[in-house]
Amino acid sequence: MPSKQLRLGLNIDHVATVRNARGGDHPAPLRAALLAKAAGVDGITAHLREDRRHIRDLDLPLLKNEVDLPLNLEIAPTEEMVQIAVQHKPHAVCLVPEKREEVTTEGGLDVAGLKDRLQPLVKELMSAGCRVSLFIEADIVQLKAAANLGVPVVELHTGRYCEASGASRSIELDRISAAAKDAKFLGLECHAGHGLAFDSVKPIAAIPEIVELNIGHFLVGEAIFMGLKEAIGEMRRLMDEAVGN
Ligand code: PXP
């Protein structure tokens, strides 16, 4: 039986973080995205934050139009961000929770609690032709709320799994694995991401229902030591090994 296709999306936010440290245009996220395409990634992910601390508005048309890969734009569920997404029409839009003071996306979106606010935003994005995904914790309540909103995709937050060790990591893995099964049962395509690294990717990649991983900070960091192409190549090798390719 052929094994599943597991896509790898490179989140290039932290190329932009380094660029922004000096206010110029080096290193350019576009160049990283082109290199990543040559290294075999299946998509580019970028998070346009409210404070523009990494990706900026001007990066979006470049990433959308000059890289022949699907662009997955992560945004907070606000009317301002949705208008920007609708203007650029990326292939996919992933709605993520965002707090100004957080270092990174700390938890999943409370879809169940925010459903009334999310409904019109999801509708607007879907009418613009964007594939909408919701970044959520591996939790049946959130999955059911996502299915009720009619989105095609959820992305499961792997942060807690990556930070845990020993028995706690197994518990987190079981939670993600059960949620991936529930997602499939509810008719949702299942992606996963946050915090994944060489030492944590294989058990997540091996979950049959997960078809896409979005990985950023570790790959961009590892690129300093081994090069971006090599870091992507090694991540892909580990994913292939986990999937049985
Ligand atoms: N997926 C989502 C929805 C995210 O918000 C992020 C971080 O921006 C990632 C994946 C990638 O996480 P990391 O940079 O830790 O690999």
Side-chain angles (χ1 to χ4, degrees):
M1 202 172 81
S3 52
K4 69 168 174 174
Q5 286 294 316
L6 179 61
R7 300 190 296 269
L8 171 60
L10 174 69
N11 180 316
I12 53 160
D13 291 345
H14 296 297
V15 176
T17 308
V18 177
R19 174 196 62 187
N20 298 351
R22 286 293 170 94
D25 53 18
H26 181 82
L30 173 62
R31 186 169 159 203
L34 292 168
L35 208 155
K37 176 175 161 51
V41 301
D42 304 291
I44 298 296
T45 291
H47 184 173
L48 186 74
R49 277 186 169 265
E50 196 190 6
D51 63 8
R52 311 300 197 265
R53 75 172 75 146
H54 27 64
I55 292 299
R56 294 175 176 158
D57 301 61
L58 286 176
D59 292 315
L60 295 181
L62 298 176
L63 295 171
K64 162 89 196 302
N65 302 324
E66 298 198 23
V67 189
D68 187 16
L69 281 178
L71 175 63
N72 173 36
L73 178 64
E74 295 175 1
I75 53 168
T78 65
E79 188 52 45
E80 183 212 346
M81 283 297 157
V82 167
Q83 285 318 314
I84 293 172
V86 165
Q87 183 193 335
H88 292 287
K89 296 191 177 33
H91 165 77
V93 172
C94 181
L95 295 177
V96 302
E98 194 175 303
K99 292 194 220 103
R100 208 173 248 273
E101 64 282 6
E102 71 190 353
V103 174
T104 181
T105 314
E106 279 166 3
L109 195 60
D110 178 14
V111 183
L114 296 173
K115 62 179 188 320
D116 292 341
R117 201 173 104 197
L118 293 173
Q119 182 88 71
L121 302 177
V122 165
K123 201 170 156 215
E124 219 172 327
L125 289 166
M126 288 179 54
S127 308
C130 300
R131 201 144 193 265
V132 178
S133 77
L134 303 175
F135 188 44
I136 59 170
E137 291 296 330
D139 177 328
I140 186 67
V141 173
Q142 300 299 338
L143 283 161
K144 282 185 175 162
N148 284 338
L149 276 182
V151 296
V153 182
V154 288
E155 180 166 330
L156 300 178
H157 198 309
T158 51
R160 266 161 60 179
Y161 155 80
C162 291
E163 278 163 22
S165 56
S168 319
R169 191 178 260 198
S170 308
I171 292 168
E172 291 300 331
L173 181 62
D174 289 348
R175 220 166 50 86
I176 293 168
S177 182
K181 281 189 182 51
D182 290 338
K184 185 162 187 192
F185 180 76
L186 290 165
L188 295 160
E189 184 173 304
C190 191
H191 302 173
H194 209 285
L196 291 169
F198 291 155
D199 72 351
S200 54
V201 74
K202 284 179 78 171
I204 297 292
I207 295 172
E209 295 81 10
I210 293 179
V211 296
E212 180 174 309
L213 300 181
N214 287 304
I215 309 180
H217 184 265
F218 177 81
L219 285 175
V220 173
E222 198 59 23
I224 293 169
F225 304 109
M226 63 193 297
L228 185 58
K229 178 169 173 253
E230 289 73 12
I232 289 168
E234 177 61 4
M235 190 60 84
R236 175 69 81 185
R237 189 186 69 73
L238 293 166
M239 287 164 57
D240 285 349
E241 227 171 68
V243 165
N245 280 334

